[in-house]
Amino acid sequence: EEFDDYLEMVISFGYITLFASAYPLAAFISVFANFVEMRTDMLKLTKVHYRPRSIPTDSIGMWKFLLKAIIWLSALTNCVFFAFTSEQLMQWAPEFYYHDEEADIHRLSPGKGKYVVLFVFFMERVFMLIGFLIDIAVPGVPEEVVNKIERHNFLQREEARAARHSIVKSQLKDIAKINDDSPPPLQDD
């Protein structure tokens, strides 16, 4: 069940990011679809099924890698859509295109395709560089959370040290008490 939920969300995320320039309205449709799904899941959990078993984990595992791969791949796909399927690049750089009268469409000018491809890969690299810089600048875990985790670990170590100290102290008292209660050693005449 968890696998299906993750799979559904990753597929939705993939459609939105990989084809954002082809269909920008997909993000808004996805928000609506996720709202409907959230409501149906709530109904399913409250009326139909028992509470699901909780399994604590450190992260979302392989799904995180898959989401990152989709994000990086979306830079390329959106640049390709921008250059080869939309008319936006034709409006920005009309010298790369000519109007085909027979088919009534715009096509790449002969010999200019390599410049369009270079432009696409240049823009893709720029977007990847921006993404890489954002990845470096924004920490994976906020500093406040890191501080709270370090404080929690410190307090656990201090409690463990205090517990060990009290155990050793009580054991030493017990040993001292045993030594005080023991009969005096026999003396040889």
Side-chain angles (χ1 to χ4, degrees):
E1 171 110 7
E2 294 89 14
F3 178 82
D4 293 335
D5 291 337
Y6 274 121
L7 182 64
E8 184 178 349
M9 297 304 287
V10 168
I11 289 173
S12 174
F13 181 75
Y15 278 127
I16 292 168
T17 56
L18 291 171
F19 307 111
S21 60
Y23 190 58
L25 191 59
F28 297 109
I29 292 172
S30 178
V31 168
F32 178 73
N34 285 337
F35 179 76
V36 169
E37 171 144 6
M38 182 179 66
R39 291 296 181 177
T40 57
D41 285 348
M42 181 181 68
L43 179 70
K44 178 179 70 173
L45 289 173
T46 56
K47 304 291 183 188
V48 179
H49 294 291
Y50 291 111
R51 181 177 172 189
R53 187 170 50 100
S54 174
I55 303 171
T57 60
D58 291 342
S59 70
I60 59 174
M62 189 63 179
W63 296 107
K64 184 176 180 180
F65 171 77
L66 188 58
L67 289 170
K68 282 190 173 193
I70 289 173
I71 290 170
W72 293 111
L73 188 61
S74 69
L76 177 64
T77 59
N78 286 300
C79 286
V80 169
F81 284 140
F82 172 74
F84 295 113
T85 62
S86 75
E87 295 181 359
Q88 293 173 342
L89 186 61
M90 181 189 63
Q91 292 172 355
W92 288 4
E95 64 272 6
F96 293 143
Y97 297 90
Y98 73 95
H99 186 72
D100 186 358
E101 300 294 334
E102 293 175 13
D104 195 31
I105 59 171
H106 289 85
R107 296 187 184 266
L108 283 172
S109 297
K112 300 289 185 172
K114 60 184 171 189
Y115 298 117
V116 174
V117 171
L118 285 173
F119 174 76
V120 165
F121 283 110
F122 173 75
M123 289 308 297
E124 185 251 349
R125 297 299 173 191
V126 167
F127 290 142
M128 290 187 81
L129 178 65
I130 291 170
F132 182 70
L133 293 175
I134 289 172
D135 200 25
I136 289 173
V138 177
V141 179
E143 186 177 342
E144 179 181 324
V145 173
V146 170
N147 290 340
K148 285 185 179 181
I149 290 172
E150 287 175 356
R151 177 166 171 70
H152 176 74
N153 291 341
F154 173 76
L155 291 175
Q156 278 188 328
R157 285 193 308 269
E158 287 300 311
E159 287 176 6
R161 189 184 62 76
R164 281 193 310 268
H165 180 71
S166 67
I167 290 172
V168 168
K169 192 174 181 181
S170 69
Q171 287 176 345
L172 289 175
K173 282 183 182 178
D174 290 344
I175 291 172
K177 185 178 177 186
I178 289 172
N179 287 339
D180 290 343
D181 291 344
S182 63
L186 296 173
Q187 295 181 355
D188 290 333
D189 288 327

